Amino acid sequence: MHIPARRRFISLTLVACASGLAGARARAQNDERADGLAYGAAPRQKLDVYAPHSRTDGARPVVVYFYGGSWQGGERADARGVAQALAQRGVVTIVPDYRVYPETIFPGFIDDAAAAVRWTREHARAFGGDPGRIVVMGHSAGAHIAAMLATDPRYLAAHGMSKSELRGMIGLAGPYAAIPPREPHMSDIFPDALRGQTLPIDFVTGHEPPMLLATGTADTVVDPSNSTRFADALRAHDDAVELKTYAGLGHVQLVDAISAAQRAGSPVFTDVLAFIDAH
């Protein structure tokens, strides 16, 4: 993978309409970041774009990254380190906010994620990205969201898309096989009436995009067995999956290995870039 020179990241607030987007991009051809673009009408349905300074006429890979927060919190600014790291390596990176509890429960945040992916497909070229090279990625609850888009076809279908349009899914410490029982409000966010509909592992059919599942042996928030069980289910259906287990890394350390200063020598970051490059 070609490694571009070091980038400056400049904030640009854009108006959330088509004409505003076009006008702002025309005024800011040298900017690498666009803040607060609306992909829906709700206050939390906004996203940021991190794009490499050097554009290549829509040829760059695109990652839509979903942060974690137990489906109850978090904001797109939390993912700035990850997004900057990816953009510095030539990846157009989209970071959406999404509705969380108590504003919504499952599947509201999955619906938002699907809408953000549709927005990405429609607007990727404006930032130098290839709408045919979209990878969804997330950490913790965000990995669950990304994996749901890659397994249960209903959410993207509601926005005129198919999971076959995704080039891959990257999950960092995701709860794919069991919702973390010790997290508060789980019974409210995932009601018993929806049992059997909330976990990616229950929707594996053999028609999933390639996946990279990363977990740390010291994770005490989301049991690493989630990644192992999900990988086993994918392999049983002949899906392409890479399972990476990192000794000594905890739940937050796994994502910090991408966004923090040590990422230059981080095997996590190296594996993520290699997966994006391969797919």
Side-chain angles (χ1 to χ4, degrees):
M1 173 178 285
H2 173 66
I3 301 175
R6 184 178 177 182
R7 314 296 187 196
R8 291 179 303 109
F9 284 85
I10 305 171
S11 242
L12 173 69
T13 302
L14 303 180
V15 243
C17 62
S19 60
L21 173 62
R25 294 312 304 167
R27 292 192 300 273
Q29 291 301 312
N30 294 322
D31 291 334
E32 287 117 352
R33 186 163 158 228
D35 292 335
L37 300 178
Y39 67 87
R44 283 186 64 90
Q45 291 175 331
K46 291 183 172 63
L47 54 79
D48 293 345
V49 181
Y50 296 75
H53 177 75
S54 175
R55 310 198 189 286
T56 54
D57 298 325
R60 294 192 180 277
V62 182
V63 163
V64 185
Y65 180 82
F66 303 101
Y67 53 77
S70 298
W71 308 275
Q72 303 171 63
E75 56 185 28
R76 60 188 189 273
D78 298 340
R80 183 176 294 120
V82 171
Q84 288 179 341
L86 290 171
Q88 287 169 358
R89 296 302 184 96
V91 180
V92 176
T93 307
I94 315 292
V95 183
D97 276 333
Y98 50 88
R99 291 171 298 156
V100 294
Y101 180 83
E103 182 181 358
T104 193
I105 62 171
F106 181 90
F109 33 81
I110 314 292
D111 292 330
D112 288 0
V117 172
R118 179 204 60 204
W119 186 99
T120 299
R121 184 183 67 173
E122 293 173 351
H123 297 287
R125 289 196 188 279
F127 300 94
D130 183 348
R133 299 176 67 193
I134 297 174
V135 172
V136 291
M137 176 178 177
H139 172 244
S140 193
H144 168 269
I145 291 171
M148 287 298 294
L149 294 180
T151 53
D152 188 340
R154 294 175 294 177
Y155 300 105
L156 288 174
H159 293 277
M161 294 185 66
S162 166
K163 65 183 183 181
S164 64
E165 295 180 59
L166 301 177
R167 295 297 290 271
M169 194 287 290
I170 301 171
L172 309 175
Y176 315 110
I179 300 300
R182 291 177 291 181
E183 293 295 305
H185 307 298
M186 290 300 103
S187 61
D188 296 320
I189 298 170
F190 298 96
D192 286 342
L194 296 176
R195 190 180 300 275
Q197 302 181 45
T198 60
L199 292 170
I201 197 171
D202 293 328
F203 292 94
V204 177
T205 62
H207 300 285
E208 284 67 47
M211 299 197 194
L212 170 64
L213 307 180
T215 187
T217 60
D219 194 334
T220 59
V221 178
V222 174
D223 194 305
S225 66
N226 275 270
S227 295
T228 304
R229 291 172 59 192
F230 191 36
D232 288 344
L234 292 163
R235 289 178 183 132
H237 287 81
D238 296 322
D239 280 325
V241 58
E242 298 176 45
L243 175 63
K244 300 288 187 177
T245 302
Y246 303 96
L249 290 188
H251 191 68
V252 176
Q253 289 173 312
L254 190 67
V255 72
D256 281 349
I258 296 175
S259 60
Q262 68 264 29
R263 67 173 177 260
S266 164
V268 183
F269 193 39
T270 299
D271 291 340
V272 165
L273 291 175
F275 179 86
I276 295 169
D277 193 40
H279 297 288

